[in-house]
Amino acid sequence: MKLSLTLLGLPFLSLAAALPKITRTGKYLYDETGGRFYIKGVAYQPQGEAAENTEANQANGGFPEPESFHDPLSSPQNCTRDLPYLKQLGVNSVRVYSVNSSLNHDECMKTFSDNGIYVLLDVSLPLNGSIDRASPSWSTNLLNEYISTIDTFRNYDNVLAFNIGNEVVNQVSNTNAAPYVKAAARDIKAYLKSVGSSALVGYSATDGDADFRNSLAEYLTCGGDDIAVDLYGLNNYEWCGDANYNSSNWNTIVSGFQDIPVATYMSEYGCIFQPPRLWTEVAALFSTPVSDVFSGGVAFSYFPTSDGYGMVTFSADGNSVTTSDDFTRLSTQYNATDPPNSPAQSSVTAGQTTCPNESASLVASNTLPPTPNQGVCDCINQKALSCLVTSSTANSPTIVGDLLNYACTLLGTSTNGTANCDPIGGNGTAGTYGELSYCSPAVKLSYAMSAYYEFNPVDSSCDFSGNATLSPTRPNTAQDASSAASQCLSAEPSGGTFTPSPVSSSGASQTSRSTSGTNSASASASASGGASSGDVRALRILGPGSILGGVAILGAILGGGLMVV
């Protein structure tokens, strides 16, 4: 989603007395007094515009993704306008799906903080700023974007959690994207710890049959606090009309989630298919047996949507709010809740579960992608590549994706299979990730074009219909290119995991040289799918001989179609 910018930065406003800090102990949330905290929330995001329904989208669920968004926390006027209605609803939390980190959010965040409202904030952006389920990759551009948003918001006292994904995995066939989601959680948790933030790290999952739903939840919450999400959300719309605990299938969901070792909540709920919405699920959500497993939920949605959700409407000038019967019924239900204050925090023992093996409902390896390394990618781009994508092309993800698929095909056919795009690809099912699989889409494309150029080093080989140019610092020979690449890989901790650093003024995350420990679930694969670290450092830019990597590329580029070379 691209944001319609309507507001420039505002002066910094000092915050009032801090809200109580919410922490997680085991599978429950607690405030500073040791009382249980329940999320009593509402989705707070104006609807964006839907993107084109592509072939890749059809193959991965079929529902159109948004391509634009409107930052709800950048308009002090709108937050002030909506506050009385949020208070009338009785919410203590809002879920916000997309924000523009370059805008100022001080007034909205202060308005909500002063009135006891926490924010659950998704850090990904739609279309081009999130892990692509059709061709997943955890890359430098996404890490930098996530950190930029976190740095904008982490000093506000009412940020409850940063959500690193929403329904990235939505069916069994794309559970191969789950390792990338978990790698993002691992790296964002490490970053938050390094900057002293206690904000939780969350993920919101789509619903599905029990095997799929439970397997994905078990996968993303297993293996210990360093790699498991803190807060696991389920977007659930099964309680429709005058349903009950059993007819809604909530009994099955609660049973399936009872051994999840982290806090869980309904990150979206509110079925509209048997109107009117009675919101009788609220009473169930905030009482046993559901409250024994879930810590509240987020009703969808405060703002109106084109498909019939929403609880309020606005006047033509946007200044006045009209509430619906839907709003009134939810307000009645929320304000009547009195959830149990048990178990006591002192009685809870933090648990850890063993990660599930691959199965018919989960095709995800427990070997995660490495931490994206900006230093290595910059070094490779500057010193080892002869052909560089133009800046205008680099800013068009769709063109980059199409060109990458074309360049990888051209590289394979023109070199009789002696060169390929393995080093920039990854396979979340096999748990194998190329040496440069974490680089940005533009660097990956420059790599593929450079590898082709080295086989036929004439100027026309680096044109690609005007989308690329020869680098002024290009290596003289293919051997020089491979040597430069090897030096880049050996100069930085390119493999394994490490703690990311803040994003620099140039927009790049600075590489941290202090590596963190790994375990069997979080240890990153070597770049050649099992090769030693010495082999990884010997990255070749072209054949003869195969380029190290040993994995099938799955597109690995945002905006590009799925392709196997």
mmCIF file with all atom_site columns, all heavy atoms in Angstrom, residues 115-133:
data_model
loop_
_atom_site.group_PDB
_atom_site.id
_atom_site.type_symbol
_atom_site.label_atom_id
_atom_site.label_alt_id
_atom_site.label_comp_id
_atom_site.label_asym_id
_atom_site.label_entity_id
_atom_site.label_seq_id
_atom_site.pdbx_PDB_ins_code
_atom_site.Cartn_x
_atom_site.Cartn_y
_atom_site.Cartn_z
_atom_site.occupancy
_atom_site.B_iso_or_equiv
_atom_site.pdbx_formal_charge
_atom_site.auth_seq_id
_atom_site.auth_comp_id
_atom_site.auth_asym_id
_atom_site.auth_atom_id
_atom_site.pdbx_PDB_model_num
ATOM 1   N N   . ASN A 1 115 ? -5.358 8.280   27.221 1.00 0.00 ? 115 ASN A N   1
ATOM 2   C CA  . ASN A 1 115 ? -6.672 7.696   27.465 1.00 0.00 ? 115 ASN A CA  1
ATOM 3   C C   . ASN A 1 115 ? -6.620 6.172   27.582 1.00 0.00 ? 115 ASN A C   1
ATOM 4   O O   . ASN A 1 115 ? -7.644 5.503   27.407 1.00 0.00 ? 115 ASN A O   1
ATOM 5   C CB  . ASN A 1 115 ? -7.625 8.115   26.343 1.00 0.00 ? 115 ASN A CB  1
ATOM 6   C CG  . ASN A 1 115 ? -8.012 9.577   26.458 1.00 0.00 ? 115 ASN A CG  1
ATOM 7   O OD1 . ASN A 1 115 ? -8.930 9.932   27.184 1.00 0.00 ? 115 ASN A OD1 1
ATOM 8   N ND2 . ASN A 1 115 ? -7.277 10.437  25.747 1.00 0.00 ? 115 ASN A ND2 1
ATOM 9   N N   . GLY A 1 116 ? -5.429 5.668   27.895 1.00 0.00 ? 116 GLY A N   1
ATOM 10  C CA  . GLY A 1 116 ? -5.299 4.249   28.220 1.00 0.00 ? 116 GLY A CA  1
ATOM 11  C C   . GLY A 1 116 ? -5.441 3.307   27.046 1.00 0.00 ? 116 GLY A C   1
ATOM 12  O O   . GLY A 1 116 ? -5.825 2.150   27.238 1.00 0.00 ? 116 GLY A O   1
ATOM 13  N N   . ILE A 1 117 ? -5.097 3.770   25.844 1.00 0.00 ? 117 ILE A N   1
ATOM 14  C CA  . ILE A 1 117 ? -5.253 2.937   24.649 1.00 0.00 ? 117 ILE A CA  1
ATOM 15  C C   . ILE A 1 117 ? -3.878 2.538   24.120 1.00 0.00 ? 117 ILE A C   1
ATOM 16  O O   . ILE A 1 117 ? -3.066 3.391   23.755 1.00 0.00 ? 117 ILE A O   1
ATOM 17  C CB  . ILE A 1 117 ? -6.052 3.663   23.560 1.00 0.00 ? 117 ILE A CB  1
ATOM 18  C CG1 . ILE A 1 117 ? -7.473 3.947   24.064 1.00 0.00 ? 117 ILE A CG1 1
ATOM 19  C CG2 . ILE A 1 117 ? -6.099 2.824   22.274 1.00 0.00 ? 117 ILE A CG2 1
ATOM 20  C CD1 . ILE A 1 117 ? -8.312 4.765   23.094 1.00 0.00 ? 117 ILE A CD1 1
ATOM 21  N N   . TYR A 1 118 ? -3.633 1.233   24.087 1.00 0.00 ? 118 TYR A N   1
ATOM 22  C CA  . TYR A 1 118 ? -2.397 0.689   23.537 1.00 0.00 ? 118 TYR A CA  1
ATOM 23  C C   . TYR A 1 118 ? -2.541 0.501   22.023 1.00 0.00 ? 118 TYR A C   1
ATOM 24  O O   . TYR A 1 118 ? -3.660 0.447   21.486 1.00 0.00 ? 118 TYR A O   1
ATOM 25  C CB  . TYR A 1 118 ? -2.064 -0.655  24.181 1.00 0.00 ? 118 TYR A CB  1
ATOM 26  C CG  . TYR A 1 118 ? -1.707 -0.563  25.651 1.00 0.00 ? 118 TYR A CG  1
ATOM 27  C CD1 . TYR A 1 118 ? -2.709 -0.609  26.630 1.00 0.00 ? 118 TYR A CD1 1
ATOM 28  C CD2 . TYR A 1 118 ? -0.380 -0.442  26.061 1.00 0.00 ? 118 TYR A CD2 1
ATOM 29  C CE1 . TYR A 1 118 ? -2.395 -0.542  27.982 1.00 0.00 ? 118 TYR A CE1 1
ATOM 30  C CE2 . TYR A 1 118 ? -0.059 -0.365  27.415 1.00 0.00 ? 118 TYR A CE2 1
ATOM 31  C CZ  . TYR A 1 118 ? -1.060 -0.411  28.360 1.00 0.00 ? 118 TYR A CZ  1
ATOM 32  O OH  . TYR A 1 118 ? -0.749 -0.334  29.700 1.00 0.00 ? 118 TYR A OH  1
ATOM 33  N N   . VAL A 1 119 ? -1.388 0.366   21.353 1.00 0.00 ? 119 VAL A N   1
ATOM 34  C CA  . VAL A 1 119 ? -1.370 0.191   19.902 1.00 0.00 ? 119 VAL A CA  1
ATOM 35  C C   . VAL A 1 119 ? -0.653 -1.104  19.564 1.00 0.00 ? 119 VAL A C   1
ATOM 36  O O   . VAL A 1 119 ? 0.477  -1.354  20.017 1.00 0.00 ? 119 VAL A O   1
ATOM 37  C CB  . VAL A 1 119 ? -0.669 1.371   19.206 1.00 0.00 ? 119 VAL A CB  1
ATOM 38  C CG1 . VAL A 1 119 ? -0.547 1.113   17.698 1.00 0.00 ? 119 VAL A CG1 1
ATOM 39  C CG2 . VAL A 1 119 ? -1.437 2.666   19.460 1.00 0.00 ? 119 VAL A CG2 1
ATOM 40  N N   . LEU A 1 120 ? -1.321 -1.932  18.791 1.00 0.00 ? 120 LEU A N   1
ATOM 41  C CA  . LEU A 1 120 ? -0.703 -3.105  18.176 1.00 0.00 ? 120 LEU A CA  1
ATOM 42  C C   . LEU A 1 120 ? -0.393 -2.710  16.738 1.00 0.00 ? 120 LEU A C   1
ATOM 43  O O   . LEU A 1 120 ? -1.312 -2.472  15.945 1.00 0.00 ? 120 LEU A O   1
ATOM 44  C CB  . LEU A 1 120 ? -1.649 -4.305  18.206 1.00 0.00 ? 120 LEU A CB  1
ATOM 45  C CG  . LEU A 1 120 ? -2.030 -4.807  19.592 1.00 0.00 ? 120 LEU A CG  1
ATOM 46  C CD1 . LEU A 1 120 ? -3.528 -5.070  19.671 1.00 0.00 ? 120 LEU A CD1 1
ATOM 47  C CD2 . LEU A 1 120 ? -1.265 -6.069  19.925 1.00 0.00 ? 120 LEU A CD2 1
ATOM 48  N N   . LEU A 1 121 ? 0.882  -2.606  16.391 1.00 0.00 ? 121 LEU A N   1
ATOM 49  C CA  . LEU A 1 121 ? 1.284  -1.987  15.132 1.00 0.00 ? 121 LEU A CA  1
ATOM 50  C C   . LEU A 1 121 ? 1.948  -2.986  14.190 1.00 0.00 ? 121 LEU A C   1
ATOM 51  O O   . LEU A 1 121 ? 2.988  -3.569  14.506 1.00 0.00 ? 121 LEU A O   1
ATOM 52  C CB  . LEU A 1 121 ? 2.253  -0.834  15.412 1.00 0.00 ? 121 LEU A CB  1
ATOM 53  C CG  . LEU A 1 121 ? 2.771  -0.066  14.194 1.00 0.00 ? 121 LEU A CG  1
ATOM 54  C CD1 . LEU A 1 121 ? 1.619  0.617   13.465 1.00 0.00 ? 121 LEU A CD1 1
ATOM 55  C CD2 . LEU A 1 121 ? 3.818  0.945   14.615 1.00 0.00 ? 121 LEU A CD2 1
ATOM 56  N N   . ASP A 1 122 ? 1.347  -3.183  13.023 1.00 0.00 ? 122 ASP A N   1
ATOM 57  C CA  . ASP A 1 122 ? 1.996  -3.971  11.979 1.00 0.00 ? 122 ASP A CA  1
ATOM 58  C C   . ASP A 1 122 ? 3.107  -3.139  11.360 1.00 0.00 ? 122 ASP A C   1
ATOM 59  O O   . ASP A 1 122 ? 2.892  -1.977  10.990 1.00 0.00 ? 122 ASP A O   1
ATOM 60  C CB  . ASP A 1 122 ? 0.982  -4.354  10.907 1.00 0.00 ? 122 ASP A CB  1
ATOM 61  C CG  . ASP A 1 122 ? 0.006  -5.413  11.371 1.00 0.00 ? 122 ASP A CG  1
ATOM 62  O OD1 . ASP A 1 122 ? -0.607 -5.258  12.450 1.00 0.00 ? 122 ASP A OD1 1
ATOM 63  O OD2 . ASP A 1 122 ? -0.156 -6.411  10.660 1.00 0.00 ? 122 ASP A OD2 1
ATOM 64  N N   . VAL A 1 123 ? 4.309  -3.719  11.239 1.00 0.00 ? 123 VAL A N   1
ATOM 65  C CA  . VAL A 1 123 ? 5.446  -2.968  10.697 1.00 0.00 ? 123 VAL A CA  1
ATOM 66  C C   . VAL A 1 123 ? 5.642  -3.201  9.206  1.00 0.00 ? 123 VAL A C   1
ATOM 67  O O   . VAL A 1 123 ? 6.425  -2.496  8.570  1.00 0.00 ? 123 VAL A O   1
ATOM 68  C CB  . VAL A 1 123 ? 6.751  -3.301  11.448 1.00 0.00 ? 123 VAL A CB  1
ATOM 69  C CG1 . VAL A 1 123 ? 6.662  -2.831  12.886 1.00 0.00 ? 123 VAL A CG1 1
ATOM 70  C CG2 . VAL A 1 123 ? 7.075  -4.789  11.393 1.00 0.00 ? 123 VAL A CG2 1
ATOM 71  N N   . SER A 1 124 ? 4.984  -4.185  8.640  1.00 0.00 ? 124 SER A N   1
ATOM 72  C CA  . SER A 1 124 ? 5.094  -4.408  7.202  1.00 0.00 ? 124 SER A CA  1
ATOM 73  C C   . SER A 1 124 ? 4.174  -3.447  6.469  1.00 0.00 ? 124 SER A C   1
ATOM 74  O O   . SER A 1 124 ? 3.270  -2.848  7.059  1.00 0.00 ? 124 SER A O   1
ATOM 75  C CB  . SER A 1 124 ? 4.731  -5.853  6.859  1.00 0.00 ? 124 SER A CB  1
ATOM 76  O OG  . SER A 1 124 ? 3.402  -6.145  7.256  1.00 0.00 ? 124 SER A OG  1
ATOM 77  N N   . LEU A 1 125 ? 4.430  -3.302  5.185  1.00 0.00 ? 125 LEU A N   1
ATOM 78  C CA  . LEU A 1 125 ? 3.586  -2.486  4.322  1.00 0.00 ? 125 LEU A CA  1
ATOM 79  C C   . LEU A 1 125 ? 3.018  -3.378  3.233  1.00 0.00 ? 125 LEU A C   1
ATOM 80  O O   . LEU A 1 125 ? 3.648  -4.359  2.824  1.00 0.00 ? 125 LEU A O   1
ATOM 81  C CB  . LEU A 1 125 ? 4.384  -1.335  3.701  1.00 0.00 ? 125 LEU A CB  1
ATOM 82  C CG  . LEU A 1 125 ? 4.939  -0.297  4.677  1.00 0.00 ? 125 LEU A CG  1
ATOM 83  C CD1 . LEU A 1 125 ? 5.772  0.739   3.936  1.00 0.00 ? 125 LEU A CD1 1
ATOM 84  C CD2 . LEU A 1 125 ? 3.822  0.375   5.450  1.00 0.00 ? 125 LEU A CD2 1
ATOM 85  N N   . PRO A 1 126 ? 1.859  -3.069  2.713  1.00 0.00 ? 126 PRO A N   1
ATOM 86  C CA  . PRO A 1 126 ? 1.247  -3.931  1.714  1.00 0.00 ? 126 PRO A CA  1
ATOM 87  C C   . PRO A 1 126 ? 1.986  -3.888  0.381  1.00 0.00 ? 126 PRO A C   1
ATOM 88  O O   . PRO A 1 126 ? 2.698  -2.937  0.064  1.00 0.00 ? 126 PRO A O   1
ATOM 89  C CB  . PRO A 1 126 ? -0.168 -3.357  1.569  1.00 0.00 ? 126 PRO A CB  1
ATOM 90  C CG  . PRO A 1 126 ? -0.051 -1.959  2.023  1.00 0.00 ? 126 PRO A CG  1
ATOM 91  C CD  . PRO A 1 126 ? 1.013  -1.928  3.075  1.00 0.00 ? 126 PRO A CD  1
ATOM 92  N N   . LEU A 1 127 ? 1.824  -4.929  -0.365 1.00 0.00 ? 127 LEU A N   1
ATOM 93  C CA  . LEU A 1 127 ? 2.286  -5.090  -1.739 1.00 0.00 ? 127 LEU A CA  1
ATOM 94  C C   . LEU A 1 127 ? 3.789  -5.220  -1.846 1.00 0.00 ? 127 LEU A C   1
ATOM 95  O O   . LEU A 1 127 ? 4.307  -6.264  -2.195 1.00 0.00 ? 127 LEU A O   1
ATOM 96  C CB  . LEU A 1 127 ? 1.779  -3.943  -2.619 1.00 0.00 ? 127 LEU A CB  1
ATOM 97  C CG  . LEU A 1 127 ? 1.853  -4.213  -4.126 1.00 0.00 ? 127 LEU A CG  1
ATOM 98  C CD1 . LEU A 1 127 ? 1.015  -5.424  -4.490 1.00 0.00 ? 127 LEU A CD1 1
ATOM 99  C CD2 . LEU A 1 127 ? 1.416  -3.011  -4.922 1.00 0.00 ? 127 LEU A CD2 1
ATOM 100 N N   . ASN A 1 128 ? 4.539  -4.161  -1.532 1.00 0.00 ? 128 ASN A N   1
ATOM 101 C CA  . ASN A 1 128 ? 5.982  -4.183  -1.769 1.00 0.00 ? 128 ASN A CA  1
ATOM 102 C C   . ASN A 1 128 ? 6.802  -4.091  -0.488 1.00 0.00 ? 128 ASN A C   1
ATOM 103 O O   . ASN A 1 128 ? 8.026  -3.994  -0.561 1.00 0.00 ? 128 ASN A O   1
ATOM 104 C CB  . ASN A 1 128 ? 6.378  -3.022  -2.692 1.00 0.00 ? 128 ASN A CB  1
ATOM 105 C CG  . ASN A 1 128 ? 5.638  -3.071  -4.005 1.00 0.00 ? 128 ASN A CG  1
ATOM 106 O OD1 . ASN A 1 128 ? 5.402  -4.135  -4.546 1.00 0.00 ? 128 ASN A OD1 1
ATOM 107 N ND2 . ASN A 1 128 ? 5.243  -1.906  -4.515 1.00 0.00 ? 128 ASN A ND2 1
ATOM 108 N N   . GLY A 1 129 ? 6.154  -4.127  0.663  1.00 0.00 ? 129 GLY A N   1
ATOM 109 C CA  . GLY A 1 129 ? 6.878  -3.944  1.912  1.00 0.00 ? 129 GLY A CA  1
ATOM 110 C C   . GLY A 1 129 ? 6.637  -5.035  2.921  1.00 0.00 ? 129 GLY A C   1
ATOM 111 O O   . GLY A 1 129 ? 6.704  -4.794  4.123  1.00 0.00 ? 129 GLY A O   1
ATOM 112 N N   . SER A 1 130 ? 6.370  -6.243  2.427  1.00 0.00 ? 130 SER A N   1
ATOM 113 C CA  . SER A 1 130 ? 6.144  -7.361  3.327  1.00 0.00 ? 130 SER A CA  1
ATOM 114 C C   . SER A 1 130 ? 6.669  -8.629  2.677  1.00 0.00 ? 130 SER A C   1
ATOM 115 O O   . SER A 1 130 ? 6.980  -8.645  1.482  1.00 0.00 ? 130 SER A O   1
ATOM 116 C CB  . SER A 1 130 ? 4.652  -7.504  3.645  1.00 0.00 ? 130 SER A CB  1
ATOM 117 O OG  . SER A 1 130 ? 3.908  -7.668  2.455  1.00 0.00 ? 130 SER A OG  1
ATOM 118 N N   . ILE A 1 131 ? 6.775  -9.692  3.459  1.00 0.00 ? 131 ILE A N   1
ATOM 119 C CA  . ILE A 1 131 ? 7.239  -10.964 2.910  1.00 0.00 ? 131 ILE A CA  1
ATOM 120 C C   . ILE A 1 131 ? 6.201  -11.474 1.923  1.00 0.00 ? 131 ILE A C   1
ATOM 121 O O   . ILE A 1 131 ? 5.025  -11.605 2.252  1.00 0.00 ? 131 ILE A O   1
ATOM 122 C CB  . ILE A 1 131 ? 7.482  -11.974 4.042  1.00 0.00 ? 131 ILE A CB  1
ATOM 123 C CG1 . ILE A 1 131 ? 8.597  -11.456 4.962  1.00 0.00 ? 131 ILE A CG1 1
ATOM 124 C CG2 . ILE A 1 131 ? 7.842  -13.344 3.484  1.00 0.00 ? 131 ILE A CG2 1
ATOM 125 C CD1 . ILE A 1 131 ? 8.767  -12.272 6.234  1.00 0.00 ? 131 ILE A CD1 1
ATOM 126 N N   . ASP A 1 132 ? 6.640  -11.739 0.708  1.00 0.00 ? 132 ASP A N   1
ATOM 127 C CA  . ASP A 1 132 ? 5.750  -12.153 -0.378 1.00 0.00 ? 132 ASP A CA  1
ATOM 128 C C   . ASP A 1 132 ? 5.528  -13.660 -0.305 1.00 0.00 ? 132 ASP A C   1
ATOM 129 O O   . ASP A 1 132 ? 6.459  -14.437 -0.494 1.00 0.00 ? 132 ASP A O   1
ATOM 130 C CB  . ASP A 1 132 ? 6.394  -11.763 -1.716 1.00 0.00 ? 132 ASP A CB  1
ATOM 131 C CG  . ASP A 1 132 ? 5.515  -12.086 -2.914 1.00 0.00 ? 132 ASP A CG  1
ATOM 132 O OD1 . ASP A 1 132 ? 4.434  -12.683 -2.735 1.00 0.00 ? 132 ASP A OD1 1
ATOM 133 O OD2 . ASP A 1 132 ? 5.925  -11.738 -4.031 1.00 0.00 ? 132 ASP A OD2 1
ATOM 134 N N   . ARG A 1 133 ? 4.301  -14.066 -0.020 1.00 0.00 ? 133 ARG A N   1
ATOM 135 C CA  . ARG A 1 133 ? 4.033  -15.489 0.134  1.00 0.00 ? 133 ARG A CA  1
ATOM 136 C C   . ARG A 1 133 ? 4.276  -16.268 -1.156 1.00 0.00 ? 133 ARG A C   1
ATOM 137 O O   . ARG A 1 133 ? 4.550  -17.468 -1.122 1.00 0.00 ? 133 ARG A O   1
ATOM 138 C CB  . ARG A 1 133 ? 2.601  -15.713 0.625  1.00 0.00 ? 133 ARG A CB  1
ATOM 139 C CG  . ARG A 1 133 ? 1.519  -15.351 -0.360 1.00 0.00 ? 133 ARG A CG  1
ATOM 140 C CD  . ARG A 1 133 ? 0.136  -15.757 0.157  1.00 0.00 ? 133 ARG A CD  1
ATOM 141 N NE  . ARG A 1 133 ? -0.302 -14.931 1.261  1.00 0.00 ? 133 ARG A NE  1
ATOM 142 C CZ  . ARG A 1 133 ? -1.048 -13.826 1.106  1.00 0.00 ? 133 ARG A CZ  1
ATOM 143 N NH1 . ARG A 1 133 ? -1.395 -13.424 -0.102 1.00 0.00 ? 133 ARG A NH1 1
ATOM 144 N NH2 . ARG A 1 133 ? -1.436 -13.141 2.151  1.00 0.00 ? 133 ARG A NH2 1
#
